[in-house]
Amino acid sequence: MKVLIVNGPNLNLLGTREPEIYGTVSMEDYLEKLKSEFMPHELHYYQSNIEGELINRLQEDDFDALVINPGAFTHYSYAIADCLKNIRKPAVEVHISNIYKREEFRQKSVTAANTDAVLSGFGMDGYRLAILSFTS
């Protein structure tokens, strides 16, 4: 199975960005751990701070399942929500922090309705749990 992991804006700073919220592990380091755990599967990673680039990547349609953390786009990107609506593959939205314990504007996801599930507040392990949902 080919799993695409997509991260939105500012998630390129994982490991250094607000470590009290997002931890101290970079996505690149965590991705290596995921790849070793899910050996028989192909894990591919894409990150962009630009909404249109994220949509273009999602529309490439070269994956079997999707793990997406839209970052701040979660709360207002109807363009990404529309893109997700057209993906006919398993998809899980992941948030490292518990968005319901954050600022009020972060407590609404416009993208979640177009995914199969949402994992919020499990730290980086949310990515692992999402992949497990596809592979078990």
Side-chain angles (χ1 to χ4, degrees):
M1 173 181 285
K2 185 174 178 180
V3 178
L4 176 62
I5 301 169
V6 173
N7 274 347
N10 298 310
L11 292 167
N12 56 308
L13 300 175
L14 287 173
T16 60
R17 174 188 180 203
E18 299 176 90
E20 66 281 2
I21 296 173
Y22 299 103
T24 57
V25 177
S26 72
M27 188 64 194
E28 290 72 19
D29 288 343
Y30 193 73
L31 190 59
E32 289 307 311
K33 177 182 171 183
L34 290 174
K35 285 180 178 180
S36 68
E37 181 175 349
F38 295 100
M39 266 305 199
H41 306 285
E42 288 183 51
L43 303 184
H44 297 270
Y45 176 64
Y46 183 80
Q47 187 279 328
S48 179
N49 295 319
I50 301 169
E51 184 179 36
E53 288 181 0
L54 293 169
I55 292 167
N56 287 341
R57 179 63 188 95
L58 293 170
Q59 290 179 351
E60 287 182 26
D61 193 34
D62 60 350
F63 53 91
D64 302 310
L66 173 67
V67 177
I68 183 166
N69 182 341
F73 291 136
T74 300
H75 316 294
Y76 66 88
S77 178
Y78 294 99
I80 291 175
D82 285 347
C83 179
L84 290 170
K85 189 183 296 183
N86 289 301
I87 293 175
R88 304 281 185 242
K89 298 172 183 182
V92 175
E93 181 171 302
V94 169
H95 298 286
I96 296 166
S97 67
N98 181 348
I99 63 173
Y100 302 102
K101 291 180 89 174
R102 307 277 310 271
E103 303 92 333
E104 187 175 341
F105 78 92
R106 293 187 196 275
Q107 296 177 17
K108 169 123 172 87
S109 171
V110 300
T111 53
N114 297 315
T115 62
D116 299 305
V118 177
L119 291 163
S120 178
F122 289 96
M124 296 291 273
D125 277 340
Y127 295 96
R128 181 181 165 279
L129 295 169
I131 297 166
L132 272 174
S133 77
F134 306 137
T135 61
S136 54

